[in-house]
């Protein structure tokens, strides 16, 4: 089992001013956690990004144990004061979209 994060870059005035036009480096040092259960207290899988500068636009995570099951995903920037802004998060299992996070469960925006 594996996870792939598509860290798409966007360029606007803020991104160009703050990072020279490369917003993907803002994700360096991120943590991805998968939780299973309503309490969301204990992660069944945790990945800490080892990159020191820029994790890149495509981030393959191949260390997830086979058969890992979860119903919640958290992406954070531990020990940093910056905000993490994600414009879209989709979770797939075996090629099937499970959740389109951030959308109303009824399908309306």
């Amino acid at each position: 089992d594996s996870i792939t994060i598509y860290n798409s870059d966007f360029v606007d005035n803020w991104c160009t001013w703050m990072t020279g036009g490369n917003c993907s480096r803002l994700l360096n040092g991120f943590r991805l956690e998968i939780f299973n259960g309503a309490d969301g207290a204990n992660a069944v899988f945790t990945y800490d990004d080892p990159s020191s500068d820029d994790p890149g636009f495509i981030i393959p995570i191949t260390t997830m144990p086979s058969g890992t099951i979860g119903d919640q995903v958290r992406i954070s920037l531990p020990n940093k004061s910056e905000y993490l802004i994600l414009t879209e998060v989709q979770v797939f299992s075996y090629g099937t979209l499970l959740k389109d996070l951030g959308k109303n469960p009824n399908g309306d925006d």
Side-chain angles (χ1 to χ4, degrees):
D1 293 345
S2 66
I3 298 170
T4 302
I5 296 177
Y6 297 96
N7 184 17
S8 63
D9 195 10
F10 63 92
V11 177
D12 60 21
N13 291 336
W14 181 87
C15 182
T16 300
W17 177 69
M18 291 295 291
T19 67
N22 185 358
C23 285
S24 72
R25 70 175 61 133
L26 296 176
L27 199 55
N28 79 313
F30 74 93
R31 174 176 290 158
L32 178 137
E33 297 170 286
I34 298 175
F35 298 89
N36 194 23
D39 64 355
N42 297 311
V44 295
F45 175 74
T46 300
Y47 173 84
D48 289 312
D49 173 50
S51 64
S52 59
D53 180 39
D54 185 349
F57 298 121
I58 299 175
I59 307 166
I61 301 171
T62 59
T63 58
M64 187 171 69
S66 181
T68 300
I69 296 174
D71 57 8
Q72 299 174 49
V73 175
R74 178 186 301 154
I75 300 175
S76 61
L77 295 172
N79 306 314
K80 292 188 178 185
S81 60
E82 294 100 3
Y83 288 101
L84 176 60
I85 299 170
L86 302 173
T87 57
E88 181 177 358
V89 175
Q90 294 182 341
V91 179
F92 293 85
S93 174
Y94 302 107
T96 304
L97 178 63
L98 296 180
K99 292 185 180 185
D100 193 355
L101 305 176
K103 296 211 182 240
N104 184 315
N106 298 328
D108 336 357
D109 286 321

